[in-house]
Amino acid sequence: MPLIRTLGYAGVIPFVALAIATHRPDLIAFDVSHNLFMLYSCLILGFMAGVLWPVLFNTDKPAHFALIAVSFPVISFISLALLPHLAIMIQAGLFLTLRLTESLYGIDQRYPSGYSSLRWQLTVIVCLAHIIVLI
């Protein structure tokens, strides 16, 4: 679990750094930092939706879980492409919804002890970074 924890927190560094950068045009242009933030958000959301895949193989409704798992990155991409003015809020909502979905379907029990706490911590940091970019 120490490596997973380290990788998890390392993964939020770009969220925090880019969120701060969106308010520091002297460091990097707003458009650049905002676009990088949104691209990273889409990428990580798709990656994190992968935690739903183990459920596919241990359920009597694999198609249901497959649709749920792929919906997160698809909605993320569509929001970025078609609703750029709302994408930041949609992304934050997707991260929170993904975490709630994990809890609802008991995915936390499929991972090592401490996973649930770590995921909540990381999700809160990521959502706060989205709020910082938004304001």
Side-chain angles (χ1 to χ4, degrees):
M1 192 69 185
L3 178 60
I4 292 170
R5 185 174 306 280
T6 300
L7 292 173
Y9 283 112
V12 297
I13 291 171
F15 280 113
V16 173
L18 289 167
I20 292 168
T22 62
H23 294 280
R24 295 289 312 268
D26 56 316
L27 297 176
I28 186 171
F30 173 80
D31 289 347
V32 174
S33 59
H34 187 268
N35 288 338
L36 288 172
F37 183 92
M38 292 307 298
L39 289 172
Y40 188 70
S41 182
C42 285
L43 172 76
I44 296 301
L45 185 64
F47 172 76
M48 291 310 303
V51 302
L52 300 175
W53 284 103
V55 177
L56 293 173
F57 303 105
N58 297 310
T59 183
D60 58 344
K61 298 179 183 177
H64 172 76
F65 284 101
L67 288 173
I68 291 172
V70 300
S71 69
F72 287 97
V74 170
I75 293 169
S76 173
F77 177 77
I78 289 171
S79 73
L80 186 60
L82 301 179
L83 303 167
H85 58 290
L86 297 174
I88 195 79
M89 292 182 294
I90 293 169
Q91 288 294 109
L94 287 169
F95 275 101
L96 184 57
T97 303
L98 175 61
R99 181 64 197 121
L100 292 170
T101 302
E102 292 175 37
S103 292
L104 177 68
Y105 288 107
I107 292 171
D108 294 347
Q109 288 76 36
R110 299 175 189 271
Y111 288 96
S113 172
Y115 173 82
S116 177
S117 176
L118 175 65
R119 282 289 292 120
W120 277 114
Q121 291 169 20
L122 297 175
T123 298
V124 166
I125 293 168
V126 167
C127 287
L128 287 173
H130 281 75
I131 291 168
I132 289 168
V133 171
L134 183 63
I135 56 175

Short mmCIF file of all heavy atoms in Angstrom, two decimals, residues 43-102:
data_model
loop_
_atom_site.label_atom_id
_atom_site.label_comp_id
_atom_site.label_asym_id
_atom_site.label_seq_id
_atom_site.Cartn_x
_atom_site.Cartn_y
_atom_site.Cartn_z
N LEU A 43 -7.78 12.54 -18.68
CA LEU A 43 -6.90 11.37 -18.67
C LEU A 43 -7.02 10.59 -17.37
O LEU A 43 -7.21 9.37 -17.38
CB LEU A 43 -5.45 11.82 -18.89
CG LEU A 43 -4.38 10.76 -18.73
CD1 LEU A 43 -4.38 9.87 -19.96
CD2 LEU A 43 -3.03 11.39 -18.53
N ILE A 44 -6.92 11.27 -16.26
CA ILE A 44 -6.96 10.60 -14.96
C ILE A 44 -8.34 10.04 -14.66
O ILE A 44 -8.46 8.95 -14.08
CB ILE A 44 -6.48 11.55 -13.83
CG1 ILE A 44 -5.01 11.93 -14.06
CG2 ILE A 44 -6.67 10.93 -12.46
CD1 ILE A 44 -4.04 10.73 -14.11
N LEU A 45 -9.38 10.73 -15.07
CA LEU A 45 -10.73 10.19 -14.87
C LEU A 45 -10.88 8.86 -15.60
O LEU A 45 -11.41 7.90 -15.05
CB LEU A 45 -11.79 11.19 -15.32
CG LEU A 45 -13.22 10.76 -15.02
CD1 LEU A 45 -13.47 10.66 -13.53
CD2 LEU A 45 -14.19 11.72 -15.65
N GLY A 46 -10.41 8.80 -16.83
CA GLY A 46 -10.47 7.54 -17.59
C GLY A 46 -9.66 6.45 -16.92
O GLY A 46 -10.10 5.30 -16.82
N PHE A 47 -8.50 6.80 -16.43
CA PHE A 47 -7.66 5.85 -15.73
C PHE A 47 -8.34 5.33 -14.47
O PHE A 47 -8.39 4.12 -14.21
CB PHE A 47 -6.32 6.51 -15.39
CG PHE A 47 -5.43 5.69 -14.50
CD1 PHE A 47 -4.73 4.61 -15.01
CD2 PHE A 47 -5.31 6.00 -13.16
CE1 PHE A 47 -3.92 3.84 -14.18
CE2 PHE A 47 -4.49 5.25 -12.33
CZ PHE A 47 -3.80 4.17 -12.84
N MET A 48 -8.90 6.25 -13.69
CA MET A 48 -9.54 5.86 -12.43
C MET A 48 -10.82 5.06 -12.65
O MET A 48 -11.19 4.24 -11.81
CB MET A 48 -9.82 7.09 -11.56
CG MET A 48 -8.57 7.75 -11.02
SD MET A 48 -7.41 6.61 -10.22
CE MET A 48 -8.43 5.88 -8.96
N ALA A 49 -11.50 5.28 -13.76
CA ALA A 49 -12.70 4.49 -14.06
C ALA A 49 -12.34 3.02 -14.22
O ALA A 49 -13.19 2.15 -14.06
CB ALA A 49 -13.40 5.02 -15.30
N GLY A 50 -11.08 2.75 -14.45
CA GLY A 50 -10.61 1.37 -14.56
C GLY A 50 -10.77 0.56 -13.29
O GLY A 50 -10.78 -0.67 -13.33
N VAL A 51 -10.94 1.24 -12.14
CA VAL A 51 -11.14 0.49 -10.89
C VAL A 51 -12.46 -0.26 -10.91
O VAL A 51 -12.67 -1.17 -10.12
CB VAL A 51 -11.05 1.38 -9.63
CG1 VAL A 51 -9.71 2.07 -9.54
CG2 VAL A 51 -12.19 2.37 -9.55
N LEU A 52 -13.35 0.12 -11.82
CA LEU A 52 -14.64 -0.57 -11.91
C LEU A 52 -14.54 -1.90 -12.65
O LEU A 52 -15.41 -2.75 -12.50
CB LEU A 52 -15.67 0.33 -12.62
CG LEU A 52 -15.95 1.67 -11.95
CD1 LEU A 52 -16.87 2.50 -12.82
CD2 LEU A 52 -16.54 1.49 -10.57
N TRP A 53 -13.50 -2.09 -13.43
CA TRP A 53 -13.40 -3.30 -14.25
C TRP A 53 -13.35 -4.61 -13.46
O TRP A 53 -13.94 -5.60 -13.91
CB TRP A 53 -12.19 -3.20 -15.19
CG TRP A 53 -12.49 -2.29 -16.34
CD1 TRP A 53 -12.05 -1.02 -16.49
CD2 TRP A 53 -13.33 -2.55 -17.46
NE1 TRP A 53 -12.57 -0.47 -17.64
CE2 TRP A 53 -13.35 -1.39 -18.26
CE3 TRP A 53 -14.07 -3.66 -17.87
CZ2 TRP A 53 -14.08 -1.31 -19.44
CZ3 TRP A 53 -14.80 -3.57 -19.06
CH2 TRP A 53 -14.80 -2.41 -19.82
N PRO A 54 -12.71 -4.69 -12.30
CA PRO A 54 -12.72 -5.96 -11.57
C PRO A 54 -14.13 -6.45 -11.23
O PRO A 54 -14.38 -7.64 -11.12
CB PRO A 54 -11.92 -5.68 -10.30
CG PRO A 54 -11.04 -4.54 -10.65
CD PRO A 54 -11.83 -3.72 -11.64
N VAL A 55 -15.06 -5.52 -11.09
CA VAL A 55 -16.43 -5.89 -10.76
C VAL A 55 -17.07 -6.65 -11.92
O VAL A 55 -17.93 -7.51 -11.72
CB VAL A 55 -17.25 -4.63 -10.41
CG1 VAL A 55 -18.69 -4.96 -10.13
CG2 VAL A 55 -16.62 -3.93 -9.21
N LEU A 56 -16.66 -6.35 -13.13
CA LEU A 56 -17.24 -7.00 -14.31
C LEU A 56 -17.16 -8.52 -14.23
O LEU A 56 -18.06 -9.23 -14.68
CB LEU A 56 -16.51 -6.56 -15.58
CG LEU A 56 -16.66 -5.11 -16.00
CD1 LEU A 56 -15.72 -4.82 -17.17
CD2 LEU A 56 -18.09 -4.82 -16.38
N PHE A 57 -16.08 -9.01 -13.69
CA PHE A 57 -15.83 -10.45 -13.69
C PHE A 57 -16.43 -11.17 -12.49
O PHE A 57 -16.35 -12.38 -12.40
CB PHE A 57 -14.32 -10.70 -13.77
CG PHE A 57 -13.71 -10.05 -14.97
CD1 PHE A 57 -12.96 -8.90 -14.84
CD2 PHE A 57 -13.93 -10.55 -16.24
CE1 PHE A 57 -12.42 -8.28 -15.96
CE2 PHE A 57 -13.40 -9.94 -17.36
CZ PHE A 57 -12.64 -8.80 -17.22
N ASN A 58 -17.02 -10.41 -11.58
CA ASN A 58 -17.58 -11.00 -10.37
C ASN A 58 -19.04 -10.61 -10.18
O ASN A 58 -19.49 -10.40 -9.05
CB ASN A 58 -16.77 -10.56 -9.14
CG ASN A 58 -15.35 -11.07 -9.21
OD1 ASN A 58 -15.12 -12.24 -9.45
ND2 ASN A 58 -14.40 -10.18 -9.01
N THR A 59 -19.76 -10.50 -11.26
CA THR A 59 -21.16 -10.09 -11.17
C THR A 59 -21.98 -10.81 -12.23
O THR A 59 -21.43 -11.30 -13.21
CB THR A 59 -21.29 -8.56 -11.34
OG1 THR A 59 -22.65 -8.20 -11.17
CG2 THR A 59 -20.83 -8.11 -12.71
N ASP A 60 -23.27 -10.84 -11.99
CA ASP A 60 -24.15 -11.45 -12.99
C ASP A 60 -24.62 -10.43 -14.01
O ASP A 60 -25.38 -10.75 -14.92
CB ASP A 60 -25.36 -12.12 -12.30
CG ASP A 60 -26.17 -11.15 -11.46
OD1 ASP A 60 -25.66 -10.06 -11.15
OD2 ASP A 60 -27.31 -11.51 -11.11
N LYS A 61 -24.15 -9.18 -13.89
CA LYS A 61 -24.53 -8.13 -14.83
C LYS A 61 -23.28 -7.43 -15.39
O LYS A 61 -23.09 -6.23 -15.21
CB LYS A 61 -25.41 -7.09 -14.14
CG LYS A 61 -26.72 -7.64 -13.63
CD LYS A 61 -27.50 -6.54 -12.95
CE LYS A 61 -28.77 -7.10 -12.37
NZ LYS A 61 -29.53 -6.08 -11.65
N PRO A 62 -22.41 -8.16 -16.09
CA PRO A 62 -21.18 -7.54 -16.56
C PRO A 62 -21.42 -6.40 -17.55
O PRO A 62 -20.68 -5.42 -17.55
CB PRO A 62 -20.40 -8.68 -17.21
CG PRO A 62 -21.40 -9.74 -17.47
CD PRO A 62 -22.49 -9.57 -16.46
N ALA A 63 -22.44 -6.48 -18.37
CA ALA A 63 -22.71 -5.41 -19.34
C ALA A 63 -23.07 -4.11 -18.62
O ALA A 63 -22.65 -3.03 -19.02
CB ALA A 63 -23.82 -5.83 -20.30
N HIS A 64 -23.82 -4.23 -17.54
CA HIS A 64 -24.21 -3.07 -16.75
C HIS A 64 -22.97 -2.34 -16.23
O HIS A 64 -22.85 -1.12 -16.36
CB HIS A 64 -25.11 -3.53 -15.59
CG HIS A 64 -25.42 -2.48 -14.59
ND1 HIS A 64 -26.33 -1.48 -14.84
CD2 HIS A 64 -24.94 -2.26 -13.34
CE1 HIS A 64 -26.40 -0.69 -13.78
NE2 HIS A 64 -25.58 -1.14 -12.86
N PHE A 65 -22.04 -3.09 -15.65
CA PHE A 65 -20.83 -2.47 -15.11
C PHE A 65 -19.91 -1.96 -16.20
O PHE A 65 -19.23 -0.95 -16.04
CB PHE A 65 -20.09 -3.45 -14.19
CG PHE A 65 -20.75 -3.59 -12.86
CD1 PHE A 65 -21.56 -4.66 -12.58
CD2 PHE A 65 -20.57 -2.62 -11.89
CE1 PHE A 65 -22.19 -4.79 -11.34
CE2 PHE A 65 -21.20 -2.73 -10.65
CZ PHE A 65 -22.01 -3.82 -10.39
N ALA A 66 -19.89 -2.65 -17.34
CA ALA A 66 -19.07 -2.18 -18.45
C ALA A 66 -19.56 -0.82 -18.93
O ALA A 66 -18.77 0.10 -19.19
CB ALA A 66 -19.09 -3.19 -19.59
N LEU A 67 -20.87 -0.67 -19.03
CA LEU A 67 -21.44 0.62 -19.46
C LEU A 67 -21.14 1.72 -18.44
O LEU A 67 -20.83 2.85 -18.81
CB LEU A 67 -22.95 0.49 -19.67
CG LEU A 67 -23.36 -0.31 -20.91
CD1 LEU A 67 -24.87 -0.52 -20.93
CD2 LEU A 67 -22.90 0.38 -22.18
N ILE A 68 -21.24 1.39 -17.19
CA ILE A 68 -20.92 2.38 -16.15
C ILE A 68 -19.45 2.78 -16.26
O ILE A 68 -19.12 3.97 -16.26
CB ILE A 68 -21.24 1.84 -14.74
CG1 ILE A 68 -22.74 1.71 -14.55
CG2 ILE A 68 -20.64 2.74 -13.66
CD1 ILE A 68 -23.14 1.00 -13.26
N ALA A 69 -18.56 1.80 -16.36
CA ALA A 69 -17.12 2.07 -16.39
C ALA A 69 -16.73 2.96 -17.57
O ALA A 69 -15.96 3.90 -17.41
CB ALA A 69 -16.34 0.77 -16.42
N VAL A 70 -17.26 2.66 -18.74
CA VAL A 70 -16.86 3.45 -19.92
C VAL A 70 -17.58 4.78 -19.99
O VAL A 70 -17.13 5.68 -20.71
CB VAL A 70 -17.03 2.67 -21.24
CG1 VAL A 70 -16.19 1.41 -21.24
CG2 VAL A 70 -18.47 2.37 -21.54
N SER A 71 -18.66 4.94 -19.26
CA SER A 71 -19.40 6.20 -19.34
C SER A 71 -18.61 7.37 -18.77
O SER A 71 -18.72 8.49 -19.27
CB SER A 71 -20.75 6.08 -18.63
OG SER A 71 -20.59 5.96 -17.23
N PHE A 72 -17.78 7.13 -17.77
CA PHE A 72 -17.03 8.23 -17.16
C PHE A 72 -16.08 8.91 -18.15
O PHE A 72 -16.16 10.13 -18.33
CB PHE A 72 -16.28 7.75 -15.91
CG PHE A 72 -17.20 7.51 -14.75
CD1 PHE A 72 -17.66 6.23 -14.47
CD2 PHE A 72 -17.61 8.55 -13.94
CE1 PHE A 72 -18.52 6.00 -13.40
CE2 PHE A 72 -18.48 8.34 -12.87
CZ PHE A 72 -18.93 7.05 -12.61
N PRO A 73 -15.18 8.17 -18.81
CA PRO A 73 -14.30 8.87 -19.76
C PRO A 73 -15.05 9.40 -20.98
O PRO A 73 -14.66 10.44 -21.53
CB PRO A 73 -13.27 7.81 -20.15
CG PRO A 73 -13.82 6.51 -19.71
CD PRO A 73 -14.80 6.78 -18.62
N VAL A 74 -16.11 8.73 -21.40
CA VAL A 74 -16.87 9.22 -22.56
C VAL A 74 -17.56 10.54 -22.23
O VAL A 74 -17.47 11.51 -23.00
CB VAL A 74 -17.89 8.15 -23.05
CG1 VAL A 74 -18.84 8.73 -24.08
CG2 VAL A 74 -17.16 6.94 -23.60
N ILE A 75 -18.22 10.61 -21.09
CA ILE A 75 -18.87 11.86 -20.68
C ILE A 75 -17.83 12.95 -20.49
O ILE A 75 -18.04 14.11 -20.87
CB ILE A 75 -19.71 11.66 -19.40
CG1 ILE A 75 -20.90 10.74 -19.70
CG2 ILE A 75 -20.19 13.00 -18.84
CD1 ILE A 75 -21.63 10.25 -18.45
N SER A 76 -16.71 12.58 -19.93
CA SER A 76 -15.62 13.53 -19.72
C SER A 76 -15.17 14.13 -21.05
O SER A 76 -15.06 15.36 -21.20
CB SER A 76 -14.45 12.81 -19.04
OG SER A 76 -13.33 13.63 -18.96
N PHE A 77 -14.93 13.29 -22.03
CA PHE A 77 -14.46 13.75 -23.34
C PHE A 77 -15.52 14.60 -24.03
O PHE A 77 -15.22 15.67 -24.57
CB PHE A 77 -14.10 12.54 -24.21
CG PHE A 77 -13.68 12.92 -25.59
CD1 PHE A 77 -12.42 13.44 -25.83
CD2 PHE A 77 -14.55 12.77 -26.67
CE1 PHE A 77 -12.03 13.81 -27.11
CE2 PHE A 77 -14.17 13.13 -27.94
CZ PHE A 77 -12.91 13.66 -28.17
N ILE A 78 -16.76 14.15 -23.99
CA ILE A 78 -17.85 14.91 -24.63
C ILE A 78 -18.02 16.28 -23.98
O ILE A 78 -18.20 17.28 -24.68
CB ILE A 78 -19.17 14.10 -24.60
CG1 ILE A 78 -19.07 12.91 -25.55
CG2 ILE A 78 -20.36 14.98 -24.95
CD1 ILE A 78 -20.21 11.92 -25.44
N SER A 79 -17.92 16.32 -22.66
CA SER A 79 -18.07 17.63 -21.99
C SER A 79 -16.94 18.56 -22.40
O SER A 79 -17.18 19.76 -22.62
CB SER A 79 -18.12 17.46 -20.47
OG SER A 79 -16.86 17.15 -19.94
N LEU A 80 -15.74 18.05 -22.51
CA LEU A 80 -14.61 18.88 -22.90
C LEU A 80 -14.76 19.37 -24.34
O LEU A 80 -14.49 20.53 -24.64
CB LEU A 80 -13.30 18.11 -22.73
CG LEU A 80 -12.01 18.88 -22.96
CD1 LEU A 80 -11.90 20.05 -22.01
CD2 LEU A 80 -10.83 17.96 -22.81
N ALA A 81 -15.25 18.50 -25.21
CA ALA A 81 -15.39 18.85 -26.62
C ALA A 81 -16.59 19.75 -26.91
O ALA A 81 -16.48 20.68 -27.72
CB ALA A 81 -15.49 17.57 -27.45
N LEU A 82 -17.71 19.48 -26.27
CA LEU A 82 -18.95 20.17 -26.63
C LEU A 82 -19.41 21.23 -25.64
O LEU A 82 -20.19 22.12 -25.99
CB LEU A 82 -20.07 19.16 -26.84
CG LEU A 82 -19.83 18.10 -27.91
CD1 LEU A 82 -21.01 17.15 -27.98
CD2 LEU A 82 -19.55 18.74 -29.26
N LEU A 83 -18.98 21.12 -24.40
CA LEU A 83 -19.42 22.05 -23.35
C LEU A 83 -18.22 22.60 -22.58
O LEU A 83 -18.14 22.47 -21.36
CB LEU A 83 -20.37 21.34 -22.39
CG LEU A 83 -21.62 20.71 -23.00
CD1 LEU A 83 -22.29 19.78 -22.01
CD2 LEU A 83 -22.57 21.79 -23.48
N PRO A 84 -17.27 23.21 -23.28
CA PRO A 84 -16.05 23.64 -22.59
C PRO A 84 -16.30 24.60 -21.43
O PRO A 84 -15.55 24.60 -20.45
CB PRO A 84 -15.22 24.29 -23.69
CG PRO A 84 -16.16 24.59 -24.79
CD PRO A 84 -17.28 23.60 -24.69
N HIS A 85 -17.36 25.40 -21.51
CA HIS A 85 -17.66 26.36 -20.44
C HIS A 85 -18.21 25.66 -19.19
O HIS A 85 -18.18 26.23 -18.11
CB HIS A 85 -18.63 27.43 -20.93
CG HIS A 85 -19.92 26.88 -21.45
ND1 HIS A 85 -20.01 26.17 -22.64
CD2 HIS A 85 -21.17 26.90 -20.94
CE1 HIS A 85 -21.26 25.78 -22.84
NE2 HIS A 85 -21.99 26.21 -21.82
N LEU A 86 -18.69 24.43 -19.34
CA LEU A 86 -19.21 23.67 -18.20
C LEU A 86 -18.32 22.49 -17.81
O LEU A 86 -18.55 21.83 -16.81
CB LEU A 86 -20.61 23.12 -18.52
CG LEU A 86 -21.71 24.14 -18.78
CD1 LEU A 86 -22.98 23.44 -19.23
CD2 LEU A 86 -21.95 24.98 -17.55
N ALA A 87 -17.32 22.24 -18.61
CA ALA A 87 -16.49 21.03 -18.45
C ALA A 87 -15.85 20.92 -17.08
O ALA A 87 -15.77 19.83 -16.52
CB ALA A 87 -15.44 20.95 -19.56
N ILE A 88 -15.39 22.02 -16.52
CA ILE A 88 -14.70 21.95 -15.23
C ILE A 88 -15.65 21.46 -14.14
O ILE A 88 -15.28 20.64 -13.29
CB ILE A 88 -14.05 23.31 -14.86
CG1 ILE A 88 -13.04 23.14 -13.73
CG2 ILE A 88 -15.06 24.35 -14.49
CD1 ILE A 88 -11.75 22.59 -14.16
N MET A 89 -16.90 21.92 -14.16
CA MET A 89 -17.88 21.47 -13.18
C MET A 89 -18.28 20.02 -13.44
O MET A 89 -18.45 19.24 -12.50
CB MET A 89 -19.11 22.38 -13.20
CG MET A 89 -18.84 23.77 -12.71
SD MET A 89 -20.30 24.83 -12.68
CE MET A 89 -20.68 24.96 -14.42
N ILE A 90 -18.43 19.68 -14.70
CA ILE A 90 -18.79 18.30 -15.05
C ILE A 90 -17.69 17.35 -14.61
O ILE A 90 -17.96 16.29 -14.04
CB ILE A 90 -19.09 18.18 -16.56
CG1 ILE A 90 -20.36 18.97 -16.90
CG2 ILE A 90 -19.21 16.72 -16.98
CD1 ILE A 90 -20.62 19.14 -18.38
N GLN A 91 -16.43 17.73 -14.85
CA GLN A 91 -15.30 16.89 -14.45
C GLN A 91 -15.30 16.66 -12.94
O GLN A 91 -15.13 15.53 -12.49
CB GLN A 91 -13.98 17.55 -14.86
CG GLN A 91 -13.70 17.53 -16.33
CD GLN A 91 -13.48 16.14 -16.84
OE1 GLN A 91 -14.32 15.60 -17.55
NE2 GLN A 91 -12.38 15.53 -16.49
N ALA A 92 -15.47 17.71 -12.17
CA ALA A 92 -15.48 17.57 -10.72
C ALA A 92 -16.62 16.64 -10.30
O ALA A 92 -16.43 15.75 -9.46
CB ALA A 92 -15.64 18.93 -10.04
N GLY A 93 -17.78 16.81 -10.91
CA GLY A 93 -18.91 15.94 -10.62
C GLY A 93 -18.65 14.49 -10.99
O GLY A 93 -19.06 13.57 -10.27
N LEU A 94 -17.95 14.29 -12.09
CA LEU A 94 -17.63 12.92 -12.51
C LEU A 94 -16.67 12.24 -11.53
O LEU A 94 -16.82 11.05 -11.23
CB LEU A 94 -17.05 12.91 -13.93
CG LEU A 94 -18.04 13.17 -15.05
CD1 LEU A 94 -17.31 13.40 -16.37
CD2 LEU A 94 -19.03 12.01 -15.18
N PHE A 95 -15.67 12.98 -11.06
CA PHE A 95 -14.74 12.41 -10.07
C PHE A 95 -15.49 12.00 -8.80
O PHE A 95 -15.26 10.92 -8.26
CB PHE A 95 -13.60 13.37 -9.73
CG PHE A 95 -12.45 13.30 -10.68
CD1 PHE A 95 -12.30 14.24 -11.69
CD2 PHE A 95 -11.51 12.28 -10.58
CE1 PHE A 95 -11.23 14.18 -12.57
CE2 PHE A 95 -10.44 12.20 -11.47
CZ PHE A 95 -10.31 13.16 -12.46
N LEU A 96 -16.36 12.87 -8.34
CA LEU A 96 -17.14 12.56 -7.14
C LEU A 96 -18.10 11.41 -7.39
O LEU A 96 -18.22 10.49 -6.56
CB LEU A 96 -17.90 13.80 -6.68
CG LEU A 96 -18.69 13.66 -5.39
CD1 LEU A 96 -17.79 13.22 -4.23
CD2 LEU A 96 -19.39 14.96 -5.06
N THR A 97 -18.76 11.40 -8.53
CA THR A 97 -19.69 10.32 -8.87
C THR A 97 -18.95 8.99 -9.00
O THR A 97 -19.46 7.95 -8.57
CB THR A 97 -20.44 10.64 -10.18
OG1 THR A 97 -21.13 11.88 -10.01
CG2 THR A 97 -21.43 9.54 -10.53
N LEU A 98 -17.77 9.01 -9.57
CA LEU A 98 -16.97 7.78 -9.67
C LEU A 98 -16.68 7.23 -8.28
O LEU A 98 -16.84 6.04 -8.03
CB LEU A 98 -15.67 8.04 -10.43
CG LEU A 98 -14.70 6.86 -10.51
CD1 LEU A 98 -15.32 5.66 -11.21
CD2 LEU A 98 -13.41 7.29 -11.19
N ARG A 99 -16.28 8.11 -7.39
CA ARG A 99 -15.96 7.66 -6.03
C ARG A 99 -17.19 7.10 -5.33
O ARG A 99 -17.13 6.07 -4.66
CB ARG A 99 -15.36 8.82 -5.21
CG ARG A 99 -14.99 8.42 -3.83
CD ARG A 99 -13.87 7.36 -3.85
NE ARG A 99 -13.80 6.72 -2.56
CZ ARG A 99 -13.95 5.42 -2.35
NH1 ARG A 99 -14.13 4.58 -3.34
NH2 ARG A 99 -13.89 4.93 -1.13
N LEU A 100 -18.33 7.77 -5.50
CA LEU A 100 -19.58 7.27 -4.91
C LEU A 100 -19.98 5.93 -5.52
O LEU A 100 -20.48 5.05 -4.82
CB LEU A 100 -20.69 8.31 -5.07
CG LEU A 100 -20.50 9.60 -4.27
CD1 LEU A 100 -21.53 10.64 -4.68
CD2 LEU A 100 -20.56 9.32 -2.77
N THR A 101 -19.75 5.77 -6.80
CA THR A 101 -20.05 4.51 -7.49
C THR A 101 -19.19 3.38 -6.93
O THR A 101 -19.68 2.28 -6.69
CB THR A 101 -19.84 4.64 -9.01
OG1 THR A 101 -20.69 5.69 -9.50
CG2 THR A 101 -20.14 3.35 -9.74
N GLU A 102 -17.92 3.67 -6.71
CA GLU A 102 -17.02 2.67 -6.11
C GLU A 102 -17.57 2.22 -4.76
O GLU A 102 -17.58 1.03 -4.46
CB GLU A 102 -15.62 3.24 -5.91
CG GLU A 102 -14.84 3.52 -7.16
CD GLU A 102 -13.52 4.19 -6.82
OE1 GLU A 102 -12.90 3.85 -5.79
OE2 GLU A 102 -13.12 5.08 -7.59
#
